[in-house]
Amino acid sequence: MEKLNYAFFVDFDGTIATIDVCEALVLAFSREGWQELNEKWERKELSTLECARKTFKLFKSGNPEDFLSILDEVAIDPYFRDFATYCRERGYPLTILSDGYDCCIYQLLQREGLKLPYYANKLLFTPQLDIETPYSSQSCDLCGVCKLDLMEQLKKQNQKTVYIGDGYSDFCPAQKADVVFAKTKLYKHCQKVGKQAILFKNFRDILLDFEKLSGEGIK
Ligand SMILES: [Mg+2]
Ligand SMILES: [Zn+2]
């Protein structure tokens, strides 16, 4: 029997990074008013692009150095490295799909010495802050990075998709993935819509549960 192949798609903020980097930037630099914008985004009344542009208008600093200094404080899941190694050794592609910003992901992966493909929005310091959304979709005008679209484009025919995430931007791709690992808002959402999802706290949980599920057993 041919061995099953898996392709992993992983959210960044709150999943690989232990906090939401976009939220940390907003907390550090935005004047009042961003909460309302964020709630509208969560209710899908604003697209990622519109929400980001309106939020940037509230920012007190648009200085790249200030932004990068916030990233120094951001930790990544303590078991993510083991998880990435596990995927590499078995030839399972691992792709980061983020509705956050490319420079934040680049900076953190660089710091951690991790080389992984990622798809995210582009943050521009022009010097006014702005966002570009090169991975938005024709069929969906809400996402900056349309994770569902990318997942369906990137997955090969013989691969089962495994989606790992925590938040609103993960709802669509999780719905279509073969296996879902979820926490917080995404987990609640999956329960609500009747999509099977495995609850996780960190990437060690995912490794152990995935090994059971894929029939490899725990070594
Ligand atoms: Mg997230
Ligand atoms: Zn979308």
Side-chain angles (χ1 to χ4, degrees):
M1 205 173 78
E2 207 195 327
K3 199 169 154 281
L4 263 180
N5 245 310
Y6 295 90
F8 287 87
F9 296 95
V10 189
D11 169 55
F12 190 76
D13 289 288
T15 301
I16 295 173
T18 54
I19 62 160
D20 186 325
V21 178
C22 305
E23 193 179 300
L25 291 175
V26 157
L27 287 170
F29 301 117
S30 179
R31 288 184 289 263
E32 281 306 299
W34 63 268
Q35 292 94 336
E36 289 77 13
L37 295 171
N38 192 252
E39 283 162 18
K40 281 190 180 164
W41 176 79
E42 288 178 354
R43 290 198 298 269
K44 303 196 184 298
E45 293 164 21
L46 279 180
S47 70
T48 296
L49 185 81
E50 292 165 325
C51 181
R53 287 204 170 134
K54 285 180 196 283
T55 305
F56 288 152
K57 293 224 166 70
L58 302 170
F59 269 44
K60 290 173 280 196
S61 169
N63 192 329
E65 284 84 54
D66 289 348
F67 274 47
L68 295 181
S69 72
I70 295 289
L71 296 177
D72 292 342
E73 320 275 305
V74 178
I76 70 159
D77 183 294
Y79 304 100
F80 181 68
R81 181 184 305 278
D82 295 346
F83 176 77
T85 305
Y86 175 92
C87 291
R88 194 181 57 240
E89 285 173 356
R90 281 158 186 78
Y92 299 146
L94 167 56
T95 308
I96 298 171
L97 302 180
S98 169
D99 210 12
Y101 298 111
D102 59 348
C103 58
C104 302
I105 298 173
Y106 172 83
Q107 176 83 1
L108 285 171
L109 291 181
Q110 186 90 345
R111 184 190 79 197
E112 301 293 326
L114 291 163
K115 279 204 180 77
L116 292 167
Y118 58 88
Y119 295 83
N121 300 303
K122 218 171 159 44
L123 181 60
L124 304 172
F125 302 92
T126 58
Q128 319 88 296
L129 290 173
D130 200 7
I131 172 178
E132 256 173 27
T133 58
Y135 305 109
S136 61
S137 151
Q138 298 271 302
S139 53
C140 149
D141 49 15
L142 282 169
C143 309
V145 170
C146 193
K147 298 184 179 190
L148 176 58
D149 238 42
L150 279 168
M151 185 173 80
E152 305 214 307
Q153 276 172 40
L154 294 168
K155 90 163 242 175
K156 307 234 164 57
Q157 247 183 1
N158 64 338
Q159 290 172 335
K160 274 192 176 295
T161 50
V162 183
Y163 194 85
I164 305 171
D166 74 322
Y168 289 95
S169 66
D170 305 312
F171 288 7
C172 294
Q175 208 110 321
K176 290 284 165 69
D178 296 307
V179 179
V180 178
F181 288 94
K183 57 181 177 180
T184 63
K185 287 174 186 144
L186 177 63
Y187 186 72
K188 285 202 192 101
H189 173 78
C190 289
Q191 283 190 307
K192 203 170 107 192
V193 300
K195 170 77 187 179
Q196 202 184 350
I198 304 162
L199 182 67
F200 76 97
K201 274 195 315 289
N202 57 43
F203 276 88
R204 185 180 148 79
D205 298 342
I206 296 175
L207 263 180
L208 295 176
D209 281 329
F210 179 76
E211 286 198 327
K212 272 187 242 164
L213 172 150
S214 64
E216 287 201 34
I218 301 160
K219 283 178 282 290

